[in-house]
Amino acid sequence: MNKQEKIVTMFDEIASTYDVANRVLSFGVDKSWRKDACDKTYAYYNQKSIDLILDVACGTGDMCEYWDKRAKKLEMTIDKIIGADPSVGMLEKAKEKNLNAEFVVAEAKSLPFETDSVDILSISYGLRNVMDRSEGLGEFYRVLKPGGLLVILEFTKLQKASIASRVRDFYMKKILPIVGGFLSKNKEAYSYLPNSIEGFLTKEKLISELEEIGFEMKEAKGYSMDISTLFIAQK
Ligand SMILES: C[S@@+](CC[C@H](N)C(=O)[O-])C[C@H]1O[C@@H](n2cnc3c(N)ncnc32)[C@H](O)[C@@H]1O
């Protein structure tokens, strides 16, 4: 099994406890990050009617739910919301929620969508799991319509050792593996999270990768002392 297959298998294994663990471990703060990401994106896109929103690495469907909820609140019409993820276990959980969305089994680097067909493509806390990141980002660029928006929420590697980064590191390295490991009965999976952030990019590096592909940056905003970062980029 290669590294990518191991990651997907790990998500299959923790799928049944993923939502509970997520709510406990994030103290629910991710809700405001997700909501703000949707609202900012809708403001940039500035269209009352949208054909297709694709959420890649959708997991149990959180972002699909937020795209739908926020659109309703803003009296917008979305023709279709689709969640894509290679983990069948995570998708099964998403389907149980009866969301206003469809789901497909797919990896970031190979999306079963036509070129220039997606209005908004999001990936929340999923990009660091994509081993072939440049292929994945290239695929996002391909499927987006010209003018379409890419929306990334991610825990980026913090450059300087600020107080926030020390607190985040302590929480993620010491507390999260114990609490997440207890709730999911899979300590290994919850030790993977801090390690995957350490091995991931800084905000500046991700911006330069997006620009290299051809995206134009619209927003790069840190939440809660840069614990989480929102990137919005346009094709
Ligand atoms: C931390 S979860 C995030 C789930 C969801 N987006 C959320 O915000 O709760 C990461 C997800 O990335 C998926 N994933 C792993 N490798 C992937 C890949 N190569 N392409 C797309 N998704 C992938 C996993 O199956 C998992 O569902």
Side-chain angles (χ1 to χ4, degrees):
M1 223 192 269
N2 66 28
K3 195 166 177 202
Q4 182 65 78
E5 288 164 341
K6 276 189 195 149
I7 291 173
V8 175
T9 304
M10 189 191 79
F11 279 104
D12 276 333
E13 285 168 5
I14 61 168
S16 61
T17 51
Y18 181 83
D19 281 341
V20 174
N22 217 12
R23 291 290 92 86
V24 172
L25 291 166
S26 72
F27 305 106
V29 279
D30 62 311
K31 287 185 186 173
S32 66
W33 302 339
R34 293 175 195 273
K35 185 170 144 291
D36 190 60
C38 293
D39 290 356
K40 282 222 158 53
T41 307
Y42 284 148
Y44 276 118
Y45 209 51
N46 197 22
Q47 291 184 22
K48 277 282 171 200
S49 160
I50 292 177
D51 296 328
L52 177 59
I53 297 182
L54 172 63
D55 185 44
V56 178
C58 68
T60 58
D62 269 17
M63 276 313 273
C64 293
E65 191 175 356
Y66 274 92
W67 285 123
D68 183 42
K69 267 199 208 159
R70 296 312 298 167
K72 285 192 175 120
K73 181 100 187 162
L74 298 165
E75 298 182 351
M76 294 169 54
T77 342
I78 316 287
D79 198 31
K80 213 178 244 186
I81 300 175
I82 301 182
D85 199 290
S87 161
V88 174
M90 294 292 268
L91 288 183
E92 270 168 15
K93 284 282 149 194
K95 285 181 194 158
E96 282 172 11
K97 296 179 182 171
N98 287 319
L99 302 173
N100 187 19
E102 294 170 20
F103 296 97
V104 291
V105 183
E107 265 197 54
K109 66 174 179 185
S110 164
L111 297 170
F113 296 90
E114 292 193 358
T115 301
D116 299 343
S117 62
V118 177
D119 293 271
I120 294 171
L121 188 152
S122 56
I123 179 160
S124 64
Y125 311 106
L127 192 59
R128 65 178 186 280
N129 300 305
V130 176
M131 291 296 105
D132 298 308
R133 189 173 57 252
S134 67
E135 274 185 73
L137 294 176
E139 185 69 343
F140 299 168
Y141 192 85
R142 180 187 71 79
V143 299
L144 274 168
K145 290 179 182 175
L149 295 175
L150 169 64
V151 183
I152 301 172
L153 274 168
E154 194 48 273
F155 300 116
T156 48
K157 191 167 146 183
L158 298 170
Q159 222 157 22
K160 15 181 216 326
S162 62
I163 294 178
S165 74
R166 288 208 196 105
V167 171
R168 186 181 85 171
D169 278 0
F170 178 77
Y171 179 71
M172 287 192 167
K173 285 183 184 158
K174 304 286 180 211
I175 299 175
L176 192 138
I178 296 170
V179 181
F182 173 74
L183 291 171
S184 67
K185 310 274 175 283
N186 189 330
K187 191 161 181 228
E188 199 193 333
Y190 283 88
S191 305
Y192 160 77
L193 182 71
N195 295 332
S196 66
I197 294 170
E198 277 301 304
F200 197 59
L201 305 172
T202 59
K203 177 170 148 184
E204 293 71 22
K205 181 78 176 46
L206 183 52
I207 290 173
S208 84
E209 287 194 7
L210 291 171
E211 287 177 339
E212 223 162 87
I213 285 168
F215 283 106
E216 185 191 326
M217 285 311 298
K218 292 286 171 193
E219 178 104 32
K221 179 189 173 184
Y223 294 118
S224 311
M225 296 194 290
D226 289 336
I227 289 175
S228 171
T229 309
L230 165 70
F231 301 84
I232 301 178
Q234 188 164 40
K235 173 171 171 182

